[in-house]
Amino acid sequence: MQRILVRGGGPLSGRVAISGAKNSVLKLMAATVLAEGTFTIRNVPDITDVRLMAELLEAMGCTATLDGDVLTIVRPAEITPEAPYELVEAMRASIVVLGPLLARVGRARVSLPGGDDFGQRPIDMHLDGLRRLGADLTFEHGYIEGRAERLRGTRIVLEYPSVGATENVLMAAVLAEGTTVIENAAKEPELADLAAFLNRMGATIIGAGSSTVTVDGVEHLHPVDHAVIPDRLEAATFLTGLAVAGGELVLEQARPEHMDMLMHKMGDMGLRTSAHPDGVWAAAPERIRAVDINSLPYPGIATDYLPLMVAALSVADGPSIATENIFGGRFRYVDELVRMGADIRVEHHYALIRGVPRLSGAPVKAHDIRAGAAIAMAALGADGETVIADAQHVARGYDRFVEKMRSIGADMDAD
């Protein structure tokens, strides 16, 4: 998928199934390094990043087969503990193989990460945490070289509740000698899903989903069969489209308890949302109200939500301020919305938005996964056709994006 073509039109309606969470399944795949045998992971989205992580595991000597939404991974007795540049450069989440490799194999060679281009995202906390567990880490020729005889549990206080750092330390600690306590840990549902996966493998983890996670190291882990939680970011994308285009939707499998703050803020914008026997029900007014939003660690408004909400607020009734507190440089997509007629001005980490009644279709570009999805949602409220280039970014994080949007009434195509 190189381009997405969107023509603004009428309201959205119907039901759409939410796929498994991208930000969970990639970490579950990395965790399979910790135990020999055959893993079955269900509710897996067919997205580019899953295929990239599968390639990474296969480069280590594993096999990974995706059949529908069922992923089977076979981890052999011996693997090559290296994550090569060409794969890690394409997907930042690859860095989370570092902790499992050090814990299970005792050595690792992992390229410095790449991924979406929206500002500096250093991995210092990952490395500091692993060093606290006893890993010897050095840099050589663009790679992190790591060794560890046997990791040892300790108390680790993260400077910031980084999801990636929490995941890397958690996966290393499950096979460490003794007890590890992670303070100021990330609380995201995807982190709790990883902990549930590891506990089913035989780990002993208490407190995942809270700011303090305690891990009692074990000697061995074993393969499991596990279903991935639904993707709250995909659900947020459909809610954004609804906010722009109007209508009524049921988001099947979506979990409202994972989106409390988002649903509260959407309510302030005029959307009506509620738990539904099949997931989440939502209905939108003819035009949403302006609100101010701030990105914060979970359970706050996720930084990945912000581009989506800015897109919606570009056609809201009134002025809004969006504050990006997590990643500097993440407002690049605003230039594309401005090309479509949005009235948005960026000052440092603030976006000042004055809602307009309608946008105008234009040729634009997707700079990253969420930016591409946000622009597509904004285009639902534009006159004429919007052509979104570099749409391969969207395919990295969304399973059958255009097909699902068409199923609920969007006039959208891809080529």
Side-chain angles (χ1 to χ4, degrees):
M1 186 168 68
Q2 297 301 313
R3 299 191 309 165
I4 296 174
L5 291 75
V6 188
R7 290 162 288 275
L12 304 180
S13 65
R15 305 167 71 94
V16 61
I18 302 303
S19 300
K22 164 190 176 292
N23 288 341
S24 179
V25 68
L26 300 179
K27 319 309 169 57
L28 304 183
M29 293 173 73
T32 64
V33 169
L34 290 164
E36 178 183 348
T38 302
F39 291 81
T40 302
I41 307 177
R42 304 179 188 278
N43 197 33
V44 174
D46 187 0
I47 57 176
T48 304
D49 276 12
V50 164
R51 296 187 178 276
L52 284 170
M53 185 63 85
E55 287 184 41
L56 177 56
L57 292 174
E58 288 174 342
M60 295 180 186
C62 303
T63 62
T65 306
L66 183 62
D67 183 6
D69 69 348
V70 179
L71 177 64
T72 303
I73 297 173
V74 180
R75 198 279 202 194
E78 299 293 330
I79 62 172
T80 302
E82 180 170 338
Y85 167 78
E86 60 271 16
L87 294 174
V88 181
E89 188 272 338
M91 183 181 60
R92 185 178 182 81
S94 306
I95 190 65
V96 295
V97 300
L98 182 59
L101 285 173
L102 290 169
R104 184 67 173 81
V105 185
R107 55 194 175 91
R109 187 170 187 264
V110 177
S111 174
L112 290 170
D116 281 332
D117 179 16
F118 49 74
Q120 290 291 99
R121 294 183 287 169
I123 59 169
D124 294 355
M125 281 185 286
H126 297 240
L127 306 184
D128 290 345
L130 295 172
R131 286 191 176 107
R132 291 291 307 277
L133 290 169
D136 180 16
L137 301 171
T138 59
F139 295 93
E140 185 175 332
H141 306 301
Y143 280 78
I144 304 164
E145 304 269 359
R147 290 190 175 274
E149 288 289 330
R150 171 107 192 255
L151 299 175
R152 288 182 171 80
T154 187
R155 180 172 178 264
I156 297 172
V157 181
L158 299 178
E159 294 181 16
Y160 174 86
S162 161
V163 177
T166 304
E167 291 165 336
N168 236 332
V169 170
L170 180 65
M171 286 189 278
V174 292
L175 289 178
E177 181 181 348
T179 299
T180 300
V181 178
I182 308 171
E183 301 279 6
N184 198 26
K187 304 175 185 177
E188 275 74 359
E190 296 79 12
L191 189 282
D193 197 32
L194 173 61
F197 185 79
L198 294 169
N199 277 337
R200 297 188 67 194
M201 290 174 64
T204 304
I205 303 167
I206 298 172
S210 73
S211 60
T212 301
V213 180
T214 302
V215 186
D216 290 326
V218 298
E219 292 290 334
H220 302 286
L221 298 170
H222 55 79
V224 294
D225 186 319
H226 182 86
V228 185
I229 61 171
D231 196 324
R232 60 194 172 100
L233 296 169
E234 184 185 34
T237 302
F238 290 120
L239 288 175
T240 300
L242 190 68
V244 171
E248 181 178 348
L249 292 175
V250 173
L251 309 181
E252 297 176 351
Q253 285 86 57
R255 295 189 184 176
E257 67 272 19
H258 292 172
M259 304 184 292
D260 282 339
M261 187 61 68
L262 175 71
M263 291 173 67
H264 174 77
K265 190 60 70 171
M266 288 285 193
D268 291 344
M269 293 163 64
L271 266 72
R272 291 178 292 144
T273 62
S274 67
H276 183 279
D278 296 330
V280 169
W281 170 88
E286 289 187 6
R287 189 179 184 190
I288 58 171
R289 296 188 294 268
V291 298
D292 293 341
I293 52 174
N294 300 271
S295 66
L296 292 168
Y298 190 85
I301 295 295
T303 181
D304 278 350
Y305 289 157
L306 212 67
L308 299 165
M309 300 190 76
V310 168
L313 292 170
S314 69
V315 293
D317 184 10
S320 306
I321 299 176
T323 305
E324 174 55 77
N325 294 307
I326 311 299
F327 293 125
R330 193 160 192 182
F331 281 127
R332 290 180 63 193
Y333 62 89
V334 165
D335 289 341
E336 309 305 314
L337 294 174
V338 170
R339 284 178 58 82
M340 297 168 65
D343 185 352
I344 307 174
R345 186 173 79 254
V346 174
E347 295 183 2
H348 306 293
H349 61 292
Y350 301 99
L352 311 176
I353 309 157
R354 294 180 176 86
V356 299
R358 295 284 291 180
L359 298 175
S360 176
V364 290
K365 181 183 294 187
H367 294 290
D368 59 69
I369 299 171
R370 307 305 165 189
I375 293 166
M377 295 305 98
L380 297 175
D383 294 322
E385 183 176 73
T386 299
V387 180
I388 306 170
D390 290 346
Q392 68 275 6
H393 288 295
V394 177
R396 283 187 50 207
Y398 291 89
D399 185 355
R400 297 173 291 122
F401 178 75
V402 171
E403 178 184 333
K404 287 186 177 183
M405 290 302 304
R406 288 176 62 88
S407 75
I408 55 176
D411 189 353
M412 189 178 293
D413 293 296
D415 60 22

